[in-house]
């Protein structure tokens, strides 16, 4: 019997598929037994007693399950299906050039619209995307929350003012045959009586901007003599004309008669500027003469500092300072209290920052003693000066030859005309010097500019022998009425105080 038991036990040990009767309980059995012991049926049997409990037994709060561990894989792997590699590579490699920085806002908006139309939404897409794109909404779907939050972002204080419309097309184009293509001359000026004077060769013509009538004012005595500069007196009834023979003529516009013929310069007069009854003339020799048109001995003073032709000349609005620019790349600022008995060779400031001829000059009408000057082809810069201290306030590279500068009377802006190689007019915001817009249309360099008496229209004369009128500083008539009414009331108050 004992032998039989031994053989049966040995047989059980040798059989691998038989259940184990002895030894430790496997892990899976232990886990199954523990789950069975915590079942609700088991717990209800354990809680039963012979007596009914007076209070409901408090059930234990079940344990909160532990948060799963952070997966070990990298969560910041870009999603290739939601990225455009060619567009993203272009964004990273491309850099904004200086030409793009100086572009006008209108040109930047145009390029942006073209890019959005050609590339769709890829132009503003992210370079790296970590999840697939959201599904496109159905047609006509409007997200109410998006409308709500987008409206709350733009408050009344942060809304930008609507920029005024500036027409890119000139209001009028006039022919100017035989207009001399000479950078150093000043052949255009607009009077307070709305008469535009333009010099064409040896002739001076007057165009009435109100009626459109054209009148020939004068003609040089010799065919070899041409006109180098014209300038209106402040009252608009006399016109000063500088000729190539060194004379400065004074013409009565109403009578169409020459009043004075003032000599003294050895060569052509390319620049003129009025200060009350004194007209200053700049010569090719580099000398500046002051002429008192009231007396017979008209030549009262000479300013001699430039070594080459004086091509820019401008008196300040208060008549205390005179700015002169020459082909010697020098900008001089002179004091009005000149010594009439001797030759004056010492200006207040002699500025040599420009690298080319300084022709474009104009004084700021709303900021005292601020002067803007522009350089020629080798310089291409517009510089702003404090005439009281001689300090350069700002300088900007325009990328082309600066021929003329005019400040706006209505806005804190200025307009500049350019030659090689853009041949355009640029309106600048002052003092940030950001481009407001560019006006194109001339096929050759824009040599001269003049502003209408109301300050709204600018006329440009170019070497393509055309005059173009641009209404680039138009004002709102309602705002102008309120401004004029407020100024009248303040004037009445001042009179009452006196």
């Amino acid at each position: 019997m004992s032998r039989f038991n031994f053989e049966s036990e040995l047989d059980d040990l040798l059989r691998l598929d038989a259940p184990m009767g002895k030894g430790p309980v496997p892990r899976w059995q232990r886990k199954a037994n523990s789950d069975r012991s915590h079942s609700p049926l088991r717990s209800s049997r354990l809680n039963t007693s012979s007596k009914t409990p007076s209070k409901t037994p408090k059930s234990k709060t079940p344990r909160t399950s532990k948060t799963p561990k952070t997966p070990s894989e990298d969560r910041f792997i870009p999603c290739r299906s939601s990225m455009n590699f060619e567009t993203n590579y272009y964004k990273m490699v491309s850099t904004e050039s200086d030409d793009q920085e100086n572009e006008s806002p209108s040109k930047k908006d145009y390029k942006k619209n073209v890019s959005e139309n050609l590339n769709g939404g890829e132009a503003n897409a992210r370079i790296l995307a970590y999840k697939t794109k959201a599904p496109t909404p159905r047609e006509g779907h409007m997200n109410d929350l998006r409308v709500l939050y987008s409206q709350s972002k733009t408050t009344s204080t942060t809304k930008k003012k609507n920029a005024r419309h500036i027409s890119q097309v000139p209001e009028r184009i006039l022919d100017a045959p035989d207009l001399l293509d000479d950078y150093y001359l000043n052949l255009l000026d607009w009077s307070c009586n709305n008469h535009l004077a333009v010099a064409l060769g040896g002739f001076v013509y007057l165009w009435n901007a109100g009626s459109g009538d054209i009148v020939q004012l004068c003609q040089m005595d010799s065919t070899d003599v041409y006109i180098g500069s014209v300038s209106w007196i402040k009252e608009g009834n006399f016109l000063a004309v500088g000729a190539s023979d060194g004379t400065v003529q004074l013409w009565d516009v109403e009578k169409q008669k020459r009043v004075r013929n003032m000599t003294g310069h050895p060569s052509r007069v390319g620049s003129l500027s009025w200060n009350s009854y004194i007209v200053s003339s700049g010569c090719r020799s580099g000398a500046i003469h002051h002429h008192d048109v009231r007396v017979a001995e008209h030549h009262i003073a000479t300013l001699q500092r430039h070594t080459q032709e004086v091509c820019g000349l401008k008196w300040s609005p208060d008549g205390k300072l005179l700015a002169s620019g020459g082909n010697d790349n020098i900008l001089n600022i002179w004091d009005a209290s000149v010594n009439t008995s001797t030759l004056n060779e010492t200006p207040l400031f002699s500025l040599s920052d420009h690298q080319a001829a300084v022709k474009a000059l104009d004084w700021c009408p709303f900021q005292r003693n601020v002067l803007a000057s522009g350089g020629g082809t080798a310089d291409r810069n517009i510089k702003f000066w404090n005439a009281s201290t001689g300090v350069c306030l700002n300088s900007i590279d325009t990328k082309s030859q600066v021929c003329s500068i005019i400040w706006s009377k209505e806005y804190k802006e200025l307009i500049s005309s350019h030659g090689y190689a853009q041949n355009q007019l640029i309106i600048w915001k002052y003092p940030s010097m950001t481009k407001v817009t560019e006006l194109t249309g001339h096929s050759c360099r824009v040599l001269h500019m003049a502003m209408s008496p109301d300050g709204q229209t600018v006329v440009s004369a170019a070497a393509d022998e055309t005059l173009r009128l641009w209404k680039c500083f138009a004002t709102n008539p309602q705002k102008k009425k309120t401004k004029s009414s407020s100024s009248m009331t303040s004037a009445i108050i001042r009179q009452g105080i006196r």
Side-chain angles (χ1 to χ4, degrees):
M1 188 67 181
S2 60
R3 183 178 179 182
F4 176 76
N5 291 335
F6 174 75
E7 290 179 353
S8 62
E9 290 179 0
L10 183 62
D11 189 23
D12 291 340
L13 291 173
L14 294 175
R15 291 179 60 187
L16 298 177
D17 57 346
M20 295 181 64
K22 296 180 180 180
V25 182
R27 184 172 179 274
W28 64 272
Q29 285 186 357
R30 290 200 309 269
K31 190 173 182 181
N33 293 335
S34 64
D35 292 342
R36 234 183 277 116
S37 64
H38 291 293
S39 63
L41 183 61
R42 182 73 175 171
S43 62
S44 63
R45 286 178 180 177
L46 292 174
N47 291 334
T48 57
S49 61
S50 59
K51 294 182 179 180
T52 306
S54 61
K55 293 182 181 180
T56 308
K58 296 181 180 179
S59 61
K60 293 183 179 180
T61 306
R63 294 180 181 178
T64 57
S65 60
K66 295 181 180 180
T67 57
K69 294 182 179 180
T70 305
S72 59
E73 64 268 15
D74 188 5
R75 293 178 297 159
F76 301 102
I77 299 177
C79 181
R80 292 176 177 268
S81 61
S82 59
M83 294 188 298
N84 189 337
F85 289 97
E86 294 181 357
T87 306
N88 297 342
Y89 178 76
Y90 172 75
K91 288 180 182 178
M92 291 188 292
V93 172
S94 63
T95 57
E96 189 174 4
S97 62
D98 295 337
D99 295 338
Q100 292 176 343
E101 290 179 357
N102 291 328
E103 285 179 351
S104 61
S106 58
K107 188 173 287 186
K108 287 182 180 179
D109 293 340
Y110 172 74
K111 287 187 175 181
K112 183 179 179 182
N113 294 332
V114 171
S115 176
E116 290 179 354
N117 291 329
L118 292 177
N119 302 322
E122 298 295 339
N124 299 322
R126 295 181 178 180
I127 295 178
L128 293 177
Y130 298 101
K131 59 181 180 180
T132 57
K133 295 181 181 179
T136 56
R138 65 179 183 274
E139 187 177 358
H141 173 73
M142 178 63 71
N143 190 350
D144 297 334
L145 293 177
R146 183 175 181 180
V147 175
L148 176 64
Y149 286 111
S150 63
Q151 288 179 350
S152 63
K153 285 180 182 178
T154 56
T155 59
S156 59
T157 56
T158 59
K159 286 183 180 178
K160 293 184 178 180
K161 295 181 180 179
N162 294 327
R164 72 183 190 278
H165 172 71
I166 301 176
S167 177
Q168 302 293 313
V169 181
E171 280 195 331
R172 199 162 185 174
I173 301 176
L174 304 174
D175 289 331
D178 298 330
L179 182 72
L180 296 178
D181 185 7
D182 195 328
Y183 176 78
Y184 304 100
L185 304 182
N186 295 272
L187 307 177
L188 193 69
D189 200 13
W190 207 329
S191 74
C192 62
N193 296 328
N194 212 10
H195 290 129
L196 180 66
V198 56
L200 303 177
F203 300 85
V204 174
Y205 293 92
L206 302 180
W207 178 66
N208 191 331
S211 61
D213 297 335
I214 300 176
V215 176
Q216 178 183 325
L217 178 64
C218 65
Q219 178 182 359
M220 296 293 102
D221 298 333
S222 174
T223 56
D224 297 332
V225 179
Y226 59 88
I227 296 170
S229 57
V230 291
S231 181
W232 287 98
I233 197 171
K234 186 178 180 181
E235 291 74 17
N237 53 349
F238 290 98
L239 179 69
V241 178
S244 61
D245 58 357
T247 60
V248 178
Q249 302 178 8
L250 191 63
W251 285 80
D252 188 342
V253 178
E254 294 181 359
K255 300 178 181 179
Q256 297 185 12
K257 181 181 178 181
R258 188 175 69 182
V259 180
R260 298 290 301 267
N261 186 29
M262 297 172 285
T263 60
H265 286 295
S267 56
R268 72 176 184 180
V269 178
S271 55
L272 292 168
S273 183
W274 283 89
N275 183 13
S276 184
Y277 50 83
I278 294 176
V279 58
S280 301
S281 58
C283 178
R284 178 177 267 179
S285 63
I288 300 172
H289 290 182
H290 292 329
H291 307 273
D292 190 342
V293 298
R294 302 171 301 172
V295 295
E297 297 295 330
H298 56 85
H299 187 193
I300 60 173
T302 300
L303 309 178
Q304 185 73 53
R305 186 61 184 265
H306 291 283
T307 58
Q308 295 187 38
E309 182 172 11
V310 179
C311 51
L313 206 60
K314 199 77 173 181
W315 279 99
S316 61
D318 57 4
K320 294 182 179 180
L321 297 173
L322 173 66
S324 64
N327 195 25
D328 53 2
N329 309 345
I330 301 297
L331 170 63
N332 290 327
I333 299 176
W334 306 85
D335 191 358
S337 58
V338 294
N339 190 351
T340 59
S341 59
T342 60
L343 182 67
N344 189 0
E345 297 181 351
T346 56
L348 285 176
F349 302 101
S350 186
L351 310 170
S352 59
D353 292 22
H354 285 287
Q355 304 300 317
V358 184
K359 179 198 174 186
L361 295 173
D362 199 19
W363 294 89
C364 181
F366 52 84
Q367 199 167 354
R368 189 171 177 266
N369 291 342
V370 172
L371 174 68
S373 63
T377 308
D379 183 73
R380 308 179 306 178
N381 280 279
I382 295 177
K383 297 182 183 294
F384 298 91
W385 307 90
N386 185 342
S388 302
T389 60
V391 176
C392 182
L393 304 175
N394 192 10
S395 179
I396 183 169
D397 188 1
T398 63
K399 307 298 180 183
S400 58
Q401 180 188 41
V402 184
C403 299
S404 182
I405 295 174
I406 295 180
W407 289 89
S408 171
K409 302 176 183 177
E410 302 292 337
Y411 302 92
K412 289 190 175 180
E413 297 173 356
L414 65 152
I415 184 170
S416 58
S417 67
H418 299 270
Y420 305 125
Q422 303 294 329
N423 303 325
Q424 86 279 37
L425 287 80
I426 303 177
I427 300 176
W428 306 87
K429 199 79 175 174
Y430 182 82
S432 62
M433 289 308 289
T434 55
K435 287 185 181 179
V436 178
T437 189
E438 294 183 10
L439 305 176
T440 57
H442 285 290
S443 58
C444 297
R445 56 180 179 174
V446 187
L447 296 168
H448 318 287
M449 280 196 308
M451 182 173 284
S452 61
D454 61 359
Q456 300 187 36
T457 306
V458 172
V459 59
S460 59
D464 57 5
E465 298 184 348
T466 61
L467 303 179
R468 296 172 187 259
L469 282 80
W470 314 84
K471 193 164 186 178
C472 49
F473 297 116
T475 56
N476 191 347
Q478 294 181 352
K479 290 183 179 179
K480 202 163 187 178
K481 282 182 181 179
T482 56
K483 189 176 179 181
S484 60
S485 62
S486 61
S487 62
M488 287 176 63
T489 53
S490 62
I492 293 171
I493 292 171
R494 285 197 299 269
Q495 288 178 2
I497 293 172
R498 288 175 185 173

